[in-house]
Amino acid sequence: MDDKSTQYTANIHAVYPDFAIRKAEYREGGQYNDLLIVNGEWLFRFPRYEESRETLERSTAILRAIQGRVPLPVPNPVYTNLDTREIGKAFAGYRLIPGEMVDIYGLETRYDAATCRRLADQLADFL
């Protein structure tokens, strides 16, 4: 494990000591979060900044509120540590949803215009 995986794994264990971590894979999650894939089935998001910690707190509340209310699978934040303001220790973890991540900026290169319109309509209906 690299340094970030070790640090983040320790932070998860500090809050959830009974959560068994057999494998942890660190990934930079983009502009706001680091990601830790745990046991190939859990995704933990670790905010990099105070603003992204606040965003994660809001998005976690939204995800919990829409559980069972939309026709799509929704991540269910089972493991959270959002009471802390300390960057690197705050996190939210949920089971990965099967499938592939959608790159909205790459849809037009993968699909024809009619399919892109249908996907956009579905996304608009969902929102």
Side-chain angles (χ1 to χ4, degrees):
M1 271 194 247
D2 61 36
D3 290 342
K4 290 255 184 176
S5 293
T6 302
Q7 173 192 350
Y8 290 154
T9 299
N11 293 341
I12 294 167
H13 268 280
V15 181
Y16 297 98
D18 294 333
F19 182 70
I21 298 177
R22 295 176 302 284
K23 179 182 174 188
E25 179 185 343
Y26 167 76
R27 292 189 189 165
E28 287 189 20
Q31 194 170 356
Y32 304 107
N33 296 288
D34 287 336
L35 304 177
L36 192 67
I37 308 293
V38 176
N39 302 334
E41 61 183 304
W42 293 91
L43 174 68
F44 283 81
R45 294 172 55 194
F46 289 85
R48 290 191 193 146
Y49 315 103
E50 175 57 26
E51 297 82 15
S52 52
R53 192 206 63 76
E54 292 169 4
T55 299
L56 182 60
E57 189 171 14
R58 283 191 305 274
S59 64
T60 297
I62 291 168
L63 289 171
R64 287 180 171 156
I66 64 174
Q67 291 297 312
R69 295 189 168 146
V70 295
L72 302 170
V74 175
N76 184 13
V78 175
Y79 299 103
T80 60
N81 186 31
L82 297 171
D83 293 335
T84 182
R85 296 196 119 24
E86 191 172 341
I87 299 305
K89 293 194 175 183
F91 62 82
Y94 43 83
R95 196 173 287 280
L96 288 169
I97 295 175
E100 65 181 79
M101 186 169 24
V102 175
D103 172 12
I104 62 169
Y105 302 105
L107 288 179
E108 291 177 328
T109 62
R110 291 183 64 187
Y111 302 104
D112 60 49
T115 301
C116 287
R117 275 192 299 279
R118 279 196 310 277
L119 289 171
D121 288 344
Q122 290 174 9
L123 180 58
D125 288 345
F126 172 74
L127 294 175

